[in-house]
mmCIF file of all heavy atoms in Angstrom:
data_model
loop_
_atom_site.group_PDB
_atom_site.id
_atom_site.type_symbol
_atom_site.label_atom_id
_atom_site.label_comp_id
_atom_site.label_asym_id
_atom_site.label_seq_id
_atom_site.Cartn_x
_atom_site.Cartn_y
_atom_site.Cartn_z
ATOM 1 N N LEU Y 661 96.942 90.524 76.420
ATOM 2 C CA LEU Y 661 97.102 89.662 77.564
ATOM 3 C C LEU Y 661 98.625 89.456 77.897
ATOM 4 O O LEU Y 661 98.913 89.403 79.140
ATOM 5 C CB LEU Y 661 96.427 88.303 77.256
ATOM 6 C CG LEU Y 661 94.940 88.315 77.250
ATOM 7 C CD1 LEU Y 661 94.396 86.968 76.816
ATOM 8 C CD2 LEU Y 661 94.332 88.709 78.634
ATOM 9 N N GLN Y 662 99.408 89.385 76.923
ATOM 10 C CA GLN Y 662 100.882 89.237 77.219
ATOM 11 C C GLN Y 662 101.377 90.466 77.925
ATOM 12 O O GLN Y 662 102.119 90.358 78.887
ATOM 13 C CB GLN Y 662 101.667 89.022 75.884
ATOM 14 C CG GLN Y 662 101.488 87.649 75.324
ATOM 15 C CD GLN Y 662 102.228 87.515 73.937
ATOM 16 O OE1 GLN Y 662 102.215 88.442 73.152
ATOM 17 N NE2 GLN Y 662 102.666 86.278 73.689
ATOM 18 N N ASP Y 663 100.990 91.674 77.423
ATOM 19 C CA ASP Y 663 101.446 92.855 78.076
ATOM 20 C C ASP Y 663 100.980 92.909 79.533
ATOM 21 O O ASP Y 663 101.771 93.189 80.459
ATOM 22 C CB ASP Y 663 100.919 94.103 77.299
ATOM 23 C CG ASP Y 663 101.647 94.417 76.036
ATOM 24 O OD1 ASP Y 663 102.735 93.869 75.827
ATOM 25 O OD2 ASP Y 663 101.219 95.289 75.255
ATOM 26 N N LEU Y 664 99.680 92.692 79.709
ATOM 27 C CA LEU Y 664 99.107 92.696 81.065
ATOM 28 C C LEU Y 664 99.811 91.759 82.035
ATOM 29 O O LEU Y 664 100.092 91.990 83.140
ATOM 30 C CB LEU Y 664 97.588 92.541 81.073
ATOM 31 C CG LEU Y 664 96.811 93.637 80.408
ATOM 32 C CD1 LEU Y 664 95.373 93.294 80.307
ATOM 33 C CD2 LEU Y 664 97.034 94.996 81.034
ATOM 34 N N ASN Y 665 100.055 90.554 81.496
ATOM 35 C CA ASN Y 665 100.686 89.509 82.318
ATOM 36 C C ASN Y 665 102.147 89.966 82.615
ATOM 37 O O ASN Y 665 102.597 89.815 83.820
ATOM 38 C CB ASN Y 665 100.785 88.168 81.565
ATOM 39 C CG ASN Y 665 101.252 87.035 82.454
ATOM 40 O OD1 ASN Y 665 100.737 86.849 83.535
ATOM 41 N ND2 ASN Y 665 102.309 86.349 81.953
ATOM 42 N N GLU Y 666 102.879 90.526 81.708
ATOM 43 C CA GLU Y 666 104.196 90.998 81.975
ATOM 44 C C GLU Y 666 104.226 92.075 83.014
ATOM 45 O O GLU Y 666 105.053 92.082 83.979
ATOM 46 C CB GLU Y 666 104.908 91.543 80.730
ATOM 47 C CG GLU Y 666 105.310 90.517 79.750
ATOM 48 C CD GLU Y 666 105.900 91.049 78.485
ATOM 49 O OE1 GLU Y 666 106.149 92.343 78.346
ATOM 50 O OE2 GLU Y 666 106.077 90.309 77.462
ATOM 51 N N PHE Y 667 103.249 93.039 82.959
ATOM 52 C CA PHE Y 667 103.195 94.060 83.883
ATOM 53 C C PHE Y 667 102.824 93.570 85.353
ATOM 54 O O PHE Y 667 103.454 93.958 86.325
ATOM 55 C CB PHE Y 667 102.197 95.155 83.509
ATOM 56 C CG PHE Y 667 102.532 95.822 82.248
ATOM 57 C CD1 PHE Y 667 101.546 96.252 81.308
ATOM 58 C CD2 PHE Y 667 103.844 96.040 81.845
ATOM 59 C CE1 PHE Y 667 101.866 96.907 80.146
ATOM 60 C CE2 PHE Y 667 104.162 96.673 80.606
ATOM 61 C CZ PHE Y 667 103.132 97.063 79.775
ATOM 62 N N VAL Y 668 101.841 92.682 85.413
ATOM 63 C CA VAL Y 668 101.433 92.151 86.714
ATOM 64 C C VAL Y 668 102.534 91.386 87.393
ATOM 65 O O VAL Y 668 102.870 91.650 88.556
ATOM 66 C CB VAL Y 668 100.178 91.271 86.507
ATOM 67 C CG1 VAL Y 668 99.963 90.450 87.876
ATOM 68 C CG2 VAL Y 668 98.974 92.101 86.171
ATOM 69 N N VAL Y 669 103.219 90.522 86.657
ATOM 70 C CA VAL Y 669 104.308 89.732 87.230
ATOM 71 C C VAL Y 669 105.535 90.653 87.602
ATOM 72 O O VAL Y 669 105.992 90.555 88.725
ATOM 73 C CB VAL Y 669 104.710 88.608 86.263
ATOM 74 C CG1 VAL Y 669 106.003 87.890 86.763
ATOM 75 C CG2 VAL Y 669 103.595 87.614 86.083
ATOM 76 N N SER Y 670 105.823 91.560 86.667
ATOM 77 C CA SER Y 670 106.979 92.431 86.978
ATOM 78 C C SER Y 670 106.766 93.326 88.146
ATOM 79 O O SER Y 670 107.630 93.541 88.983
ATOM 80 C CB SER Y 670 107.315 93.225 85.672
ATOM 81 O OG SER Y 670 107.707 92.379 84.663
ATOM 82 N N LEU Y 671 105.557 93.919 88.152
ATOM 83 C CA LEU Y 671 105.229 94.809 89.275
ATOM 84 C C LEU Y 671 105.146 94.115 90.606
ATOM 85 O O LEU Y 671 105.574 94.606 91.677
ATOM 86 C CB LEU Y 671 103.930 95.575 89.049
ATOM 87 C CG LEU Y 671 104.012 96.649 87.921
ATOM 88 C CD1 LEU Y 671 102.602 97.181 87.563
ATOM 89 C CD2 LEU Y 671 104.914 97.802 88.377
ATOM 90 N N ASP Y 672 104.675 92.858 90.651
ATOM 91 C CA ASP Y 672 104.739 92.014 91.774
ATOM 92 C C ASP Y 672 106.155 91.797 92.225
ATOM 93 O O ASP Y 672 106.424 91.905 93.435
ATOM 94 C CB ASP Y 672 103.995 90.716 91.551
ATOM 95 C CG ASP Y 672 103.946 89.856 92.801
ATOM 96 O OD1 ASP Y 672 103.329 90.295 93.787
ATOM 97 O OD2 ASP Y 672 104.479 88.737 92.734
ATOM 98 N N GLN Y 673 107.015 91.471 91.325
ATOM 99 C CA GLN Y 673 108.438 91.264 91.675
ATOM 100 C C GLN Y 673 109.030 92.497 92.152
ATOM 101 O O GLN Y 673 109.890 92.443 93.110
ATOM 102 C CB GLN Y 673 109.198 90.715 90.479
ATOM 103 C CG GLN Y 673 108.758 89.286 90.060
ATOM 104 C CD GLN Y 673 109.385 88.817 88.765
ATOM 105 O OE1 GLN Y 673 109.953 89.568 88.031
ATOM 106 N NE2 GLN Y 673 109.298 87.496 88.528
ATOM 107 N N LEU Y 674 108.761 93.645 91.534
ATOM 108 C CA LEU Y 674 109.257 94.951 92.053
ATOM 109 C C LEU Y 674 108.795 95.254 93.487
ATOM 110 O O LEU Y 674 109.535 95.748 94.307
ATOM 111 C CB LEU Y 674 108.935 96.080 91.130
ATOM 112 C CG LEU Y 674 109.709 96.124 89.775
ATOM 113 C CD1 LEU Y 674 109.058 97.097 88.835
ATOM 114 C CD2 LEU Y 674 111.109 96.575 90.061
ATOM 115 N N GLY Y 675 107.551 94.972 93.682
ATOM 116 C CA GLY Y 675 106.983 95.152 95.069
ATOM 117 C C GLY Y 675 107.664 94.293 96.084
ATOM 118 O O GLY Y 675 107.999 94.811 97.207
ATOM 119 N N SER Y 676 107.951 93.072 95.719
ATOM 120 C CA SER Y 676 108.714 92.223 96.641
ATOM 121 C C SER Y 676 110.074 92.685 96.916
ATOM 122 O O SER Y 676 110.547 92.686 98.008
ATOM 123 C CB SER Y 676 108.798 90.773 96.098
ATOM 124 O OG SER Y 676 107.528 90.208 96.012
ATOM 125 N N ARG Y 677 110.747 93.177 95.770
ATOM 126 C CA ARG Y 677 112.073 93.715 95.978
ATOM 127 C C ARG Y 677 112.056 94.984 96.839
ATOM 128 O O ARG Y 677 112.930 95.203 97.683
ATOM 129 C CB ARG Y 677 112.732 94.060 94.606
ATOM 130 C CG ARG Y 677 113.090 92.825 93.840
ATOM 131 C CD ARG Y 677 113.653 93.064 92.471
ATOM 132 N NE ARG Y 677 114.847 93.972 92.594
ATOM 133 C CZ ARG Y 677 115.421 94.530 91.602
ATOM 134 N NH1 ARG Y 677 114.936 94.455 90.375
ATOM 135 N NH2 ARG Y 677 116.538 95.266 91.767
ATOM 136 N N GLN Y 678 111.051 95.860 96.706
ATOM 137 C CA GLN Y 678 110.896 97.010 97.529
ATOM 138 C C GLN Y 678 110.723 96.611 98.982
ATOM 139 O O GLN Y 678 111.307 97.227 99.835
ATOM 140 C CB GLN Y 678 109.772 97.871 97.054
ATOM 141 C CG GLN Y 678 110.089 98.743 95.885
ATOM 142 C CD GLN Y 678 108.955 99.716 95.550
ATOM 143 O OE1 GLN Y 678 107.750 99.259 95.401
ATOM 144 N NE2 GLN Y 678 109.314 100.956 95.243
ATOM 145 N N ALA Y 679 109.932 95.593 99.210
ATOM 146 C CA ALA Y 679 109.615 95.163 100.609
ATOM 147 C C ALA Y 679 110.912 94.618 101.329
ATOM 148 O O ALA Y 679 111.082 94.821 102.438
ATOM 149 C CB ALA Y 679 108.560 94.083 100.586
ATOM 150 N N PHE Y 680 111.860 94.086 100.528
ATOM 151 C CA PHE Y 680 113.125 93.582 101.033
ATOM 152 C C PHE Y 680 114.258 94.608 100.946
ATOM 153 O O PHE Y 680 115.372 94.312 101.247
ATOM 154 C CB PHE Y 680 113.498 92.277 100.340
ATOM 155 C CG PHE Y 680 112.629 91.090 100.702
ATOM 156 C CD1 PHE Y 680 111.674 90.612 99.876
ATOM 157 C CD2 PHE Y 680 112.788 90.523 101.961
ATOM 158 C CE1 PHE Y 680 110.885 89.572 100.237
ATOM 159 C CE2 PHE Y 680 111.983 89.424 102.347
ATOM 160 C CZ PHE Y 680 111.047 88.970 101.454
ATOM 161 N N GLY Y 681 113.854 95.809 100.481
ATOM 162 C CA GLY Y 681 114.854 96.836 100.448
ATOM 163 C C GLY Y 681 115.866 96.797 99.278
ATOM 164 O O GLY Y 681 116.922 97.466 99.319
ATOM 165 N N THR Y 682 115.628 96.003 98.305
ATOM 166 C CA THR Y 682 116.535 95.889 97.149
ATOM 167 C C THR Y 682 116.065 96.625 95.902
ATOM 168 O O THR Y 682 116.688 96.549 94.865
ATOM 169 C CB THR Y 682 116.806 94.388 96.797
ATOM 170 O OG1 THR Y 682 115.531 93.811 96.359
ATOM 171 C CG2 THR Y 682 117.374 93.635 97.925
ATOM 172 N N ALA Y 683 114.968 97.413 96.043
ATOM 173 C CA ALA Y 683 114.488 98.266 94.955
ATOM 174 C C ALA Y 683 113.874 99.520 95.545
ATOM 175 O O ALA Y 683 113.425 99.529 96.651
ATOM 176 C CB ALA Y 683 113.481 97.514 94.082
ATOM 177 N N ASP Y 684 114.016 100.610 94.867
ATOM 178 C CA ASP Y 684 113.430 101.860 95.259
ATOM 179 C C ASP Y 684 112.601 102.508 94.163
ATOM 180 O O ASP Y 684 112.320 101.830 93.169
ATOM 181 C CB ASP Y 684 114.527 102.843 95.726
ATOM 182 C CG ASP Y 684 115.556 103.081 94.631
ATOM 183 O OD1 ASP Y 684 115.237 102.780 93.460
ATOM 184 O OD2 ASP Y 684 116.578 103.704 94.934
ATOM 185 N N GLU Y 685 112.129 103.729 94.394
ATOM 186 C CA GLU Y 685 111.340 104.402 93.439
ATOM 187 C C GLU Y 685 112.020 104.483 92.028
ATOM 188 O O GLU Y 685 111.342 104.455 91.042
ATOM 189 C CB GLU Y 685 110.900 105.779 93.930
ATOM 190 C CG GLU Y 685 109.951 105.739 95.121
ATOM 191 C CD GLU Y 685 110.701 105.547 96.426
ATOM 192 O OE1 GLU Y 685 111.925 105.641 96.475
ATOM 193 O OE2 GLU Y 685 110.035 105.258 97.423
ATOM 194 N N TYR Y 686 113.320 104.706 92.082
ATOM 195 C CA TYR Y 686 114.056 104.790 90.786
ATOM 196 C C TYR Y 686 113.851 103.580 89.997
ATOM 197 O O TYR Y 686 113.707 103.605 88.805
ATOM 198 C CB TYR Y 686 115.575 105.094 91.079
ATOM 199 C CG TYR Y 686 116.404 105.038 89.857
ATOM 200 C CD1 TYR Y 686 116.384 106.068 88.952
ATOM 201 C CD2 TYR Y 686 117.069 103.884 89.548
ATOM 202 C CE1 TYR Y 686 117.202 105.971 87.752
ATOM 203 C CE2 TYR Y 686 117.839 103.814 88.384
ATOM 204 C CZ TYR Y 686 117.860 104.807 87.557
ATOM 205 O OH TYR Y 686 118.655 104.760 86.336
ATOM 206 N N THR Y 687 114.002 102.386 90.647
ATOM 207 C CA THR Y 687 113.847 101.116 89.994
ATOM 208 C C THR Y 687 112.494 100.966 89.288
ATOM 209 O O THR Y 687 112.394 100.508 88.208
ATOM 210 C CB THR Y 687 114.091 99.940 90.951
ATOM 211 O OG1 THR Y 687 115.309 100.165 91.679
ATOM 212 C CG2 THR Y 687 114.108 98.615 90.306
ATOM 213 N N VAL Y 688 111.450 101.336 90.054
ATOM 214 C CA VAL Y 688 110.090 101.303 89.527
ATOM 215 C C VAL Y 688 109.958 102.237 88.304
ATOM 216 O O VAL Y 688 109.445 101.913 87.262
ATOM 217 C CB VAL Y 688 109.040 101.589 90.559
ATOM 218 C CG1 VAL Y 688 107.657 101.636 89.944
ATOM 219 C CG2 VAL Y 688 109.119 100.516 91.686
ATOM 220 N N GLY Y 689 110.485 103.492 88.449
ATOM 221 C CA GLY Y 689 110.448 104.426 87.391
ATOM 222 C C GLY Y 689 111.223 103.932 86.141
ATOM 223 O O GLY Y 689 110.711 104.110 85.023
ATOM 224 N N LYS Y 690 112.351 103.308 86.387
ATOM 225 C CA LYS Y 690 113.134 102.790 85.253
ATOM 226 C C LYS Y 690 112.350 101.739 84.575
ATOM 227 O O LYS Y 690 112.378 101.645 83.242
ATOM 228 C CB LYS Y 690 114.464 102.306 85.768
ATOM 229 C CG LYS Y 690 115.423 101.823 84.687
ATOM 230 C CD LYS Y 690 116.847 101.740 85.220
ATOM 231 C CE LYS Y 690 117.810 101.114 84.233
ATOM 232 N NZ LYS Y 690 117.691 101.576 82.842
ATOM 233 N N PHE Y 691 111.708 100.812 85.281
ATOM 234 C CA PHE Y 691 110.866 99.753 84.692
ATOM 235 C C PHE Y 691 109.791 100.391 83.823
ATOM 236 O O PHE Y 691 109.635 99.966 82.667
ATOM 237 C CB PHE Y 691 110.254 98.897 85.761
ATOM 238 C CG PHE Y 691 109.080 98.047 85.267
ATOM 239 C CD1 PHE Y 691 109.314 96.955 84.479
ATOM 240 C CD2 PHE Y 691 107.818 98.418 85.611
ATOM 241 C CE1 PHE Y 691 108.195 96.220 83.959
ATOM 242 C CE2 PHE Y 691 106.707 97.660 85.124
ATOM 243 C CZ PHE Y 691 106.957 96.533 84.337
ATOM 244 N N VAL Y 692 109.103 101.403 84.382
ATOM 245 C CA VAL Y 692 108.002 102.014 83.615
ATOM 246 C C VAL Y 692 108.518 102.666 82.308
ATOM 247 O O VAL Y 692 107.887 102.510 81.282
ATOM 248 C CB VAL Y 692 107.294 103.056 84.494
ATOM 249 C CG1 VAL Y 692 106.334 103.930 83.671
ATOM 250 C CG2 VAL Y 692 106.555 102.362 85.656
#
């Protein structure tokens, strides 16, 4: 549950950053 919660929250934050242009595919790949 901790892992899943971290992934859901982090991916949501990354998605928001992508929407605002402050993150790209590299950022997501680095997170993964």
Side-chain angles (χ1 to χ4, degrees):
L661 289 174
Q662 285 174 327
D663 282 348
L664 294 175
N665 188 53
E666 287 178 10
F667 298 147
V668 168
V669 172
S670 297
L671 289 169
D672 182 61
Q673 291 173 347
L674 282 167
S676 293
R677 288 179 59 192
Q678 281 184 312
F680 287 105
T682 60
D684 57 14
E685 292 82 12
Y686 172 78
T687 308
V688 176
K690 186 164 174 40
F691 163 74
V692 169

